[in-house]
Amino acid sequence: MKKSCGITLYFTLAFVCLFSTSLLLGYTANYGLLCVTIILIPAAIIAAFGYSLSLLALFGSTRVACAAIAKSRNDEASKTLINGEERQVQVKTWFEKKSFCTALSFFLLFISIICIAAVVALRFVLVGPPPSLSGTFSSPLLSNGATIEFEENGLFHIKADNFYDLGFAQGVGTAKLRLFQLDIQRRLVSGTMSEVLGSAALKSDKLMRTLAFLPLSRTNLPYIGEDAMQMLTGLIDGVNAYVNATPTSQLPVEFRLLGYRPAPFEPADMVAWGKYMSYSLSENLDYEARRWNLQKDGITCEEIQELIPPYTTAFGWPTVLTQDMIAQTFPDLPVQTPQYPVDPKEERDGCFPQYTRRKTSAEQMKMADVNKEKQDDSYSAFRDILDSVDMMKAAVYGSADKSPRWLDDLYSPLSQQLKNGIEASNNWVVGSKSTRSGKPLLANDPHLPMTAPSIWMIMHAECDACGVNAIGATFIGTPGVIIGRNSKIAWGVTNAMPDVQDLYVMQPGFTPNTYVYNGSEVAYGVEEIVIKVRGESNVTMERLTTVYGPVVSDVMNLKGDDKLALQWTTLMPGKDVVFEAFFEINRASNWEEYTSALSTYVSPSQNFIFADVDGNIGYYMPGKVPIRPAGHVGSYPVPGNGSYNWLGFIPFEQLPHVFNPDRDYVVSANNKVSPQNYNYSLNSDWGDGFRAERITEMVEAQLGNHTVESFIDIQLDRHTLLFTSMKPYFSRMNPSERAKPWVEKLQNWDGNVGEPSEIASFFEIWYQDFTRLTSNYTHSGQLTSWSFVGQLFLEVLNNTRDDLCQTWVGKGCYAYANECFDTALDRLSPSSTSASTSPSSLPKWGEDIHTVAFDNQVLGKTPFGCVSDRSYYEGGDGATVNVAHFGNDLVTTFGPSYRQIIDLNDMENSIFIYPMGQSGDIFSELYDNLLPLYRGGKYIPMKTTGYDVSSTITLVKEVH
């Protein structure tokens, strides 16, 4: 009994010691407890075994020694010399054992203390405490001072009596919470990432140096109005003042890991970030580049037209503005009947056959094998997810004189931001006749990369003397609020996707470094640029410029030997300062002031919705949108000889807009903006209309009865109309006996991918396999990243275009679709491969497979990744209102990055939320405190009054 109690005691002590260490680590890492526990399991087993063994040995030796002593005292025969010597030897052995066991015990205890001390040192010495969100901050630069009030959830309210101090307070608050993110964004847009991250960032740096956002932004500064410049200057000074006042030991841990301090910021850094966001949200460059590469792969103009069909009205997808709205705004443009299946203004007649490379016969014969290899690769990646039990990230370091190898991978999450094919956001507004309260409601959820920390912050800026009282979401380092409300109006944005980018194929001149333009030879502008690379020699690149803009063929990996130049509204000289339009919106009080602010907006063009407390609603699509000559629709690269130059821009007053539409609501979800009775061509590569159709359906279902709660239901909805549109075709298919039970279930399913479901998994994986229909022919894998892919495959099934499917995969369309059912079952149930046996169960969508991931921009690829990154299972797909695009790995990396619902009847009843939290410090409570709310479909109050203040920073003017 005593021995059993002793063993239990020592095991308990060992467990308590190690569990305490785990708790300490887990506490400092918040959601990293699981990661820490996994790391400590081997150490826990070894240590527990060592503790128990040594203490058990000590306990057991003591009992043996005591028994020996007792026996020697009671045994008279033991008094002989020989027996006495035996006892002495026995007692000596006991003391030796005791000394050894005691030493071992104290040694293991010492190791445990060292481990705990190391954890404490890591948390409080290397990482340091999070910046204080209370106290006083002084600076001689302040005019009158300001305050920053923090709510417990991290939302901060800045208050001042002039624009400079208001900006200064925003700068200090931003630097305290997101300084490293601010710096890494600055390096991203300036093309200086390689200086701290090594050669992994070279590709990005070369592209950013070619686009030259930062130098161009410096030329834009003189165009900024006085008030906006005051706030921007204050913000920059506030950031720099905080950096100057903060010792290196208290800077974010990333600076110490990478070994540098941030250089002083300048106003152009923040202006350049606006240009980068324009790049992220302008998709036509990507589309033109893909079409060019298809041509260089031997795909003809006619074949590309079939692979990427123009937007059609055949599926009944809504446009943002209806013909009635256009007729209401522009009375000289009556409703047009009948409508054409394809808008004549968007017919793609701009493909130049001379740029298409002819395929060899050997290439054509290899296509089937290439397609099989691509599918096999994607399946193996998926099976790894199903078969894996534990996934741990490892960091491997290189030699001391070079950058650590993990720096080579640091750029990966940032490269997602660099260009992620962002094509999804939702907003809608309903007027007074459509709500229960008799005042408008407005909702918005922009879909951007899901990073940790977020690209957004939420804040409230108040300056009575300035006429500003705005609250909502802002980009890091951008003055004021980007999406939100003030005391009079509310607004929201989605990507409108007009075509404002063109690639021009330059004709070589007769002498080196020249091109032919309007019949004459013109010299390229040549600039030599030196890029610093951490741990390696500097890299020199040559930047070429033309009358259209920079040559981008090399940095964009465009195929062939031609030089292609980019013309883009964002790269044009003059007034192009995105944040200033938002700055003016922050203090607008009605439709006239709102549209006046938008009149200065250049790019990226957005669907701006509006509502005010007087009951008005509206919509405007601002920005510079080029007018092209005949034969140039903007979908393909065109000759850069002067024949296809832009003719001008659509006048602001003629851009799509409507005020108080008769139907009392406006919906946009990256669907086509303009109906066929609108005068101008905006684009020919619109996204599908699934989300817009679903939102419209739900809005119309409750017209006259809408509340904040009904808007929440819409915003969180996960019924996929992609499935609904496909459903009629499943009855025409002839699946195998193995797949038939699951196809029958599809025909009875309602398309809700929000609830954990086996049938949802079956549909999503089947559709993903079906989208490889063209990969054989194009050598480009899936086309699911193209916004119009749903339209392509619906047309294939609707028209039974077996001629196309025979070309692409060597069989009929429905035969290929039937094969994909079996392929989906192979992927979902690898162990059930019998041709006659249908698997009884499959992984559930949103419970067993399909996750959303929030990867830290830099730490995610280091040993800190297990405590910096977040992920969880979720439902949804690319066609649901609550969108969840995913790739072969079934991971969502961009989606609803911010949500707001604004009640114009009572502005203080408005709500908002975004994932993760306000702080970029992975050890801060504010790093991910909003994520559980976001995941659960909850919101936080959007209050400018009556909120609870948990701490305050007072900014005072320093007097010498």
Side-chain angles (χ1 to χ4, degrees):
M1 175 65 72
K2 292 181 179 179
K3 184 174 181 179
S4 175
C5 292
I7 293 172
T8 303
L9 174 64
Y10 300 131
F11 267 108
T12 302
L13 289 173
F15 176 81
V16 168
C17 179
L18 289 159
F19 187 69
S20 299
T21 307
S22 297
L23 282 180
L24 177 59
L25 280 166
Y27 171 76
T28 59
N30 294 328
Y31 286 98
L33 179 58
L34 177 60
C35 167
V36 171
T37 303
I38 292 173
I39 293 172
L40 284 182
I41 284 174
I45 293 172
I46 294 170
F49 182 74
Y51 272 122
S52 303
L53 238 134
S54 60
L55 293 172
L56 182 58
L58 178 59
F59 175 71
S61 297
T62 303
R63 288 188 61 197
V64 170
C66 289
I69 293 170
K71 183 178 180 181
S72 67
R73 285 179 177 176
N74 297 324
D75 190 351
E76 291 295 329
S78 66
K79 293 182 179 179
T80 64
L81 181 60
I82 296 174
N83 288 342
E85 289 176 352
E86 287 178 353
R87 185 170 67 86
Q88 290 173 6
V89 171
Q90 201 170 35
V91 174
K92 181 179 180 182
T93 303
W94 168 63
F95 276 111
E96 286 175 349
K97 288 182 178 180
K98 182 177 181 181
S99 298
F100 169 76
C101 296
T102 303
L104 180 60
S105 299
F106 277 103
F107 173 74
L108 290 173
L109 182 61
F110 174 74
I111 293 298
S112 298
I113 293 172
I114 292 296
C115 290
I116 295 174
V119 171
V120 173
L122 174 67
R123 173 63 182 91
F124 296 105
V125 178
L126 174 61
V127 177
S132 173
L133 301 183
S134 62
T136 300
F137 187 92
S138 60
S139 171
L141 299 174
L142 287 161
S143 298
N144 301 319
T147 59
I148 310 174
E149 297 175 340
F150 291 89
E151 295 186 38
E152 188 174 1
N153 55 33
L155 167 62
F156 62 91
H157 306 256
I158 56 174
K159 299 180 180 181
D161 62 6
N162 62 79
F163 282 118
Y164 179 87
D165 288 356
L166 193 68
F168 196 99
Q170 184 180 348
V172 171
T174 302
K176 276 182 172 287
L177 294 171
R178 303 279 190 91
L179 180 59
F180 180 73
Q181 184 182 14
L182 193 64
D183 186 68
I184 212 70
Q185 286 184 177
R186 182 250 301 263
R187 287 187 173 277
L188 173 62
V189 299
S190 63
T192 57
M193 297 272 286
S194 300
E195 187 175 350
V196 296
L197 297 184
S199 58
L202 261 177
K203 183 178 179 181
S204 162
D205 282 353
K206 288 180 178 180
L207 176 60
M208 292 297 107
R209 294 293 186 96
T210 299
L211 297 178
F213 288 152
L214 183 59
L216 183 60
S217 296
R218 291 177 178 134
T219 68
N220 295 146
L221 295 179
Y223 295 93
I224 300 176
E226 182 179 354
D227 290 344
M229 193 64 197
Q230 279 290 307
M231 189 165 182
L232 175 60
T233 303
L235 188 151
I236 295 298
D237 288 348
V239 171
N240 288 332
Y242 175 78
V243 173
N244 294 335
T246 304
T248 301
S249 61
Q250 295 180 24
L251 288 175
V253 66
E254 294 93 336
F255 287 114
R256 277 163 285 155
L257 285 172
L258 296 172
Y260 78 99
R261 282 183 65 90
F265 289 80
E266 59 173 304
D269 293 328
M270 309 311 177
V271 177
W273 180 249
K275 295 185 186 301
Y276 167 75
M277 290 308 301
S278 179
Y279 169 76
S280 294
L281 294 166
S282 298
E283 296 196 335
N284 181 257
L285 173 61
D286 192 33
Y287 293 159
E288 280 194 46
R290 294 187 190 194
R291 288 192 179 94
W292 173 265
N293 285 342
L294 286 174
Q295 284 187 267
K296 291 304 175 185
D297 282 337
I299 310 297
T300 67
C301 294
E302 293 77 15
E303 290 168 332
I304 294 174
Q305 184 81 343
E306 290 173 334
L307 286 165
I308 313 166
Y311 189 96
T312 176
T313 61
F315 302 111
W317 290 329
T319 51
V320 176
L321 298 186
T322 65
Q323 290 211 36
D324 289 335
M325 291 179 188
I326 291 295
Q328 178 183 337
T329 303
F330 306 105
D332 58 330
L333 300 177
V335 173
Q336 185 182 93
T337 55
Q339 290 193 64
Y340 299 98
V342 176
D343 192 331
K345 299 187 295 296
E346 297 175 1
E347 288 282 2
R348 298 204 187 100
D349 56 354
C351 181
F352 289 81
Q354 66 264 34
Y355 297 137
T356 301
R357 184 183 65 82
R358 295 186 62 180
K359 282 183 182 177
T360 65
S361 57
E363 286 177 315
Q364 295 180 15
M365 293 177 65
K366 285 175 61 178
M367 288 190 298
D369 293 336
V370 171
N371 187 45
K372 184 177 185 302
E373 290 173 5
K374 288 178 179 291
Q375 292 193 16
D376 288 345
D377 288 345
S378 62
Y379 299 161
S380 64
F382 181 82
R383 287 193 175 111
D384 286 344
I385 297 172
L386 292 180
D387 296 339
S388 173
V389 178
D390 296 311
M391 299 175 64
M392 296 179 62
K393 296 180 179 179
V396 181
Y397 293 87
S399 58
D401 60 334
K402 288 191 175 182
S403 302
R405 280 196 195 172
W406 52 264
L407 287 178
D408 293 340
D409 294 326
L410 285 181
Y411 187 67
S412 179
L414 291 166
S415 65
Q416 290 179 2
Q417 281 195 10
L418 188 63
K419 194 64 178 174
N420 206 353
I422 300 165
E423 55 195 34
S425 295
N426 308 315
N427 67 19
W428 64 97
V429 59
V430 301
S432 302
K433 294 180 291 184
S434 301
T435 64
R436 192 179 298 173
S437 69
K439 288 292 178 71
L441 286 166
L442 181 148
N444 190 195
D445 53 290
H447 305 162
L448 293 169
M450 308 290 263
T451 57
S454 170
I455 65 172
W456 298 105
M457 292 185 80
I458 50 175
M459 60 168 278
H460 166 217
E462 182 178 340
C463 175
D464 292 340
C466 317
V468 173
N469 187 24
I471 183 171
T474 187
F475 289 132
I476 310 303
T478 302
V481 170
I482 297 295
I483 301 173
R485 70 169 181 87
N486 59 30
S487 56
K488 297 290 185 181
I489 71 168
W491 67 96
V493 301
T494 67
N495 196 7
M497 300 193 300
D499 184 355
V500 297
Q501 298 169 313
D502 278 327
L503 288 172
Y504 288 86
V505 187
M506 308 312 295
Q507 179 182 335
F510 297 104
T511 56
N513 286 328
T514 63
Y515 58 93
V516 177
Y517 179 77
N518 283 338
S520 301
E521 273 194 327
V522 180
Y524 285 103
V526 181
E527 178 186 2
E528 190 175 275
I529 296 173
V530 177
I531 301 176
K532 295 180 180 179
V533 183
R534 178 182 177 128
E536 299 180 21
S537 301
N538 293 344
V539 172
T540 301
M541 64 171 285
E542 196 174 65
R543 179 177 186 262
L544 302 180
T545 55
T546 70
V547 293
Y548 298 107
V551 173
V552 297
S553 37
D554 288 340
V555 294
M556 289 192 62
N557 296 323
L558 297 177
K559 296 181 179 180
D561 299 324
D562 298 279
K563 287 184 170 63
L564 279 75
L566 171 65
Q567 184 170 28
W568 177 22
T569 52
T570 294
L571 299 184
M572 301 180 77
K575 184 181 174 87
D576 177 16
V577 185
V578 175
F579 91 85
E580 187 172 12
F582 289 105
F583 172 84
E584 294 297 340
I585 290 173
N586 279 206
R587 56 181 179 176
S589 59
N590 53 48
W591 175 250
E592 289 73 23
E593 293 176 358
Y594 179 73
T595 55
S596 176
L598 293 178
S599 66
T600 66
Y601 192 92
V602 175
S603 70
S605 290
Q606 301 285 289
N607 296 304
F608 279 80
I609 56 172
F610 165 92
D612 67 23
V613 294
D614 295 325
N616 300 302
I617 65 170
Y619 164 91
Y620 221 112
M621 191 209 82
K624 271 189 172 181
V625 181
I627 302 172
R628 295 176 174 85
H632 180 17
V633 297
S635 298
Y636 297 87
V638 297
N641 57 16
S643 302
Y644 297 93
N645 291 6
W646 292 350
L647 305 177
F649 301 94
I650 302 176
F652 177 75
E653 296 76 14
Q654 295 295 311
L655 289 167
H657 66 279
V658 69
F659 182 61
N660 286 331
D662 293 337
R663 74 173 186 180
D664 205 38
Y665 71 88
V666 178
V667 172
S668 84
N670 314 116
N671 50 317
K672 183 180 177 183
V673 170
S674 54
Q676 291 187 17
N677 63 332
Y678 180 64
N679 257 352
Y680 297 94
S681 173
L682 300 176
N683 197 351
S684 61
D685 290 328
W686 301 103
D688 62 53
F690 292 124
R691 284 177 292 109
E693 182 181 357
R694 176 62 176 167
I695 295 170
T696 300
E697 177 184 292
M698 296 185 75
V699 165
E700 291 185 342
Q702 296 197 56
L703 285 178
N705 201 39
H706 275 294
T707 62
V708 169
E709 288 70 27
S710 71
F711 268 41
I712 292 175
D713 290 340
I714 299 174
Q715 206 162 58
L716 301 181
D717 181 73
R718 278 186 162 156
H719 283 78
T720 174
L721 294 192
L722 172 64
F723 166 77
T724 305
S725 64
M726 293 276 183
K727 189 173 182 177
Y729 305 110
F730 292 132
S731 61
R732 305 181 190 177
M733 297 184 185
N734 185 29
S736 67
E737 288 300 316
R738 180 184 178 219
K740 186 176 292 184
W742 292 98
V743 177
E744 290 174 352
K745 290 179 181 180
L746 278 179
Q747 297 178 52
N748 297 313
W749 185 43
D750 64 356
N752 181 3
V753 288
E755 297 294 328
S757 162
E758 295 178 356
I759 197 63
S761 297
F762 182 63
F763 169 73
E764 297 293 352
I765 301 306
W766 170 82
Y767 180 71
Q768 189 181 66
D769 291 335
F770 187 55
T771 60
R772 294 188 179 87
L773 180 63
T774 60
S775 63
N776 174 23
Y777 202 70
T778 63
H779 295 195
S780 60
Q782 296 165 269
L783 290 180
T784 47
S785 58
W786 293 57
S787 59
F788 30 74
V789 68
Q791 177 179 326
L792 167 64
F793 297 114
L794 279 172
E795 288 192 357
V796 166
L797 293 174
N798 189 41
N799 298 324
T800 59
R801 289 294 306 273
D802 278 358
D803 57 328
L804 291 179
C805 293
Q806 287 288 347
T807 300
W808 295 339
V809 292
K811 63 191 67 176
C813 301
Y814 279 93
Y816 181 77
N818 289 329
E819 282 187 7
C820 290
F821 288 129
D822 287 303
T823 306
L825 291 178
D826 290 342
R827 293 177 65 188
L828 288 165
S829 184
S831 60
S832 175
T833 56
S834 171
S836 59
T837 303
S838 179
S840 58
S841 64
L842 299 175
K844 291 184 178 180
W845 192 256
E847 183 176 286
D848 302 313
I849 57 174
H850 186 226
T851 60
V852 57
F854 303 86
D855 291 337
N856 189 277
Q857 293 172 304
V858 170
L859 294 179
K861 293 296 181 180
T862 74
F864 285 87
C866 60
V867 295
S868 66
D869 296 352
R870 302 288 182 270
S871 66
Y872 56 82
Y873 289 106
E874 72 160 4
D877 65 17
T880 53
V881 177
N882 191 357
V883 76
H885 289 282
F886 56 90
N888 282 332
D889 58 359
L890 306 187
V891 176
T892 293
T893 57
F894 77 92
S897 60
Y898 167 76
R899 295 179 180 135
Q900 69 173 25
I901 298 174
I902 301 177
D903 184 354
L904 278 297
N905 180 60
D906 178 6
M907 288 287 207
E908 298 300 300
N909 190 43
S910 304
I911 53 178
F912 59 171
I913 193 70
Y914 75 105
M916 297 304 294
Q918 291 280 80
S919 176
D921 180 354
I922 62 175
F923 296 113
S924 168
E925 293 178 352
L926 301 179
Y927 181 68
D928 59 359
N929 62 307
L930 299 178
L931 187 57
L933 295 173
Y934 174 89
R935 181 182 182 182
K938 306 298 182 183
Y939 300 74
I940 62 174
M942 196 182 202
K943 289 183 175 293
T944 58
T945 61
Y947 51 86
D948 295 328
V949 178
S950 64
S951 62
T952 302
I953 299 174
T954 303
L955 281 67
V956 298
K957 182 177 180 62
E958 182 179 322
V959 180
H960 294 287

